[in-house]
């Protein structure tokens, strides 16, 4: 069925994420990508609503020459799901929504899965436009006083499928946000294990973040 044309922005975004989740289940190429990363885990896929954007979203939208279609497409452009050209922002990507405990989506991450077949210079990591909001796997903050903090969502999901469920991710080395700090303090997290990439950028960012957290009374 087509997406509801009169939906508010959050409902429209949720409908798109639901559609990408259904598309994921019918797309062997993204399932193979997850397999190659050791992430083919049914509970991970369902719990975190993993999806796949494959250029078919437009067929689920009302026609753009109709008022309802123009309105909904405009809304999805404002959110960042569609670009000004009308193309899907996350096309060719594994899609991971960042949701709170009530299912409100505050951010969406996309990871291109084609790798070497992409045009040179194509960004492999995509987000919605604007500042990053929200914390992935916020439920973990209620269940543990210790949180593993990764540099990227793929890394965090790798911990998760291996049984380390008390894990979340920054948005890159410079992507630890006010949302992350607020969640740590709100849930009285005692200790953060910073698991950034072991390269120069990761080591430097981890050291700076450790100092910032210690100043907030977090080990």
């Amino acid at each position: 069925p087509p997406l509801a044309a009169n939906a508010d922005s959050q409902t429209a975004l949720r409908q798109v994420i639901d559609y990408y989740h259904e598309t994921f289940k019918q797309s062997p190429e993204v399932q193979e990508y997850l397999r190659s990363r050791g992430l083919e885990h049914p509970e991970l896929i369902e719990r975190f609503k993993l999806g796949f954007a494959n250029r078919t979203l437009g067929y689920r939208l009302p026609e753009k020459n109709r008022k309802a279609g123009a309105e909904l497409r405009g809304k999805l452009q404002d959110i960042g799901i569609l670009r000004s050209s009308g193309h899907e922002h996350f096309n060719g990507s594994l899609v991971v929504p960042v949701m709170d405990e009530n299912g409100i989506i505050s951010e969406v991450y996309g990871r291109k899965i084609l790798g070497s077949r992409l045009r040179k210079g194509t960004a492999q990591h995509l987000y919605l436009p604007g500042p990053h909001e929200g914390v992935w796997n916020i439920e973990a903050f209620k269940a543990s006083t210790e949180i593993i903090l990764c540099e990227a969502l793929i890394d965090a999901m790798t911990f998760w499928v291996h049984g380390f469920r008390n894990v979340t991710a920054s948005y890159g080395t410079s992507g630890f946000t006010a949302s992350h700090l607020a969640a740590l303090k709100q849930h009285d997290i005692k200790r953060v294990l910073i698991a950034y990439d072991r390269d120069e950028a990761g080591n430097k960012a981890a050291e700076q973040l450790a100092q910032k957290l210690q100043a907030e009374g977090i080990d």
Side-chain angles (χ1 to χ4, degrees):
L3 272 65
N6 59 350
D8 61 32
S9 294
Q10 182 58 219
T11 306
L13 179 54
R14 204 175 293 140
Q15 287 184 107
V16 171
I17 293 302
D18 285 345
Y19 178 66
Y20 284 160
H21 185 55
E22 289 307 312
T23 305
F24 176 98
K25 296 173 183 177
Q26 298 155 28
S27 305
E29 63 269 47
V30 70
Q31 293 172 33
E32 179 51 43
Y33 173 77
L34 276 201
R35 258 195 298 278
S36 75
R37 300 299 298 256
L39 295 173
E40 193 190 29
H41 190 294
E43 192 186 346
L44 177 84
I45 293 162
E46 289 301 321
R47 180 165 178 175
F48 296 108
K49 268 280 173 74
L50 304 192
F52 182 52
N54 68 347
R55 283 199 184 95
T56 61
L57 177 65
Y59 301 125
R60 289 299 181 95
L61 303 177
E63 291 296 329
K64 56 187 169 188
N65 59 0
R66 306 272 172 86
K67 183 185 175 188
E71 194 176 304
L72 181 55
R73 288 164 195 269
K75 203 169 283 176
L76 293 178
Q77 282 182 359
D78 291 343
I79 295 168
I81 289 291
L82 297 181
R83 295 181 176 171
S84 55
S85 62
H87 293 107
E88 290 177 61
H89 178 55
F90 293 109
N91 181 45
S93 301
L94 168 72
V95 175
V96 186
V98 175
M99 300 176 284
D100 69 11
E101 49 266 63
N102 300 311
I104 302 297
I105 301 164
S106 56
E107 178 62 280
V108 180
Y109 168 70
R111 174 63 163 85
K112 296 280 189 182
I113 67 166
L114 293 174
S116 59
R117 293 186 309 190
L118 293 171
R119 271 189 315 216
K120 196 173 178 183
T122 301
Q124 295 208 34
H125 305 274
L126 301 167
Y127 295 95
L128 293 178
H132 298 301
E133 291 287 343
V135 177
W136 183 80
N137 193 25
I138 190 67
E139 294 86 356
F141 288 64
K142 295 176 179 177
S144 178
T145 59
E146 185 173 272
I147 290 290
I148 300 165
L149 178 71
C150 296
E151 183 179 313
L153 273 168
I154 296 287
D155 300 334
M157 290 193 289
T158 303
F159 273 96
W160 196 92
V161 299
H162 285 90
F164 297 92
R165 301 293 167 93
N166 59 324
V167 66
T168 192
S170 299
Y171 300 104
T173 49
S174 57
F176 181 84
T177 68
S179 294
H180 290 111
L181 182 58
L184 292 172
K185 293 173 84 170
Q186 180 190 342
H187 296 286
D188 199 24
I189 301 300
K190 305 292 187 196
R191 188 171 186 229
V192 175
L193 302 169
I194 304 173
Y196 283 6
D197 289 357
R198 199 173 178 118
D199 53 22
E200 191 179 346
N203 288 340
K204 186 178 176 186
E207 199 173 310
Q208 291 172 343
L209 181 55
Q211 291 171 2
K212 179 176 182 174
L213 292 175
Q214 284 167 346
E216 296 284 349
I218 300 168
D219 185 25

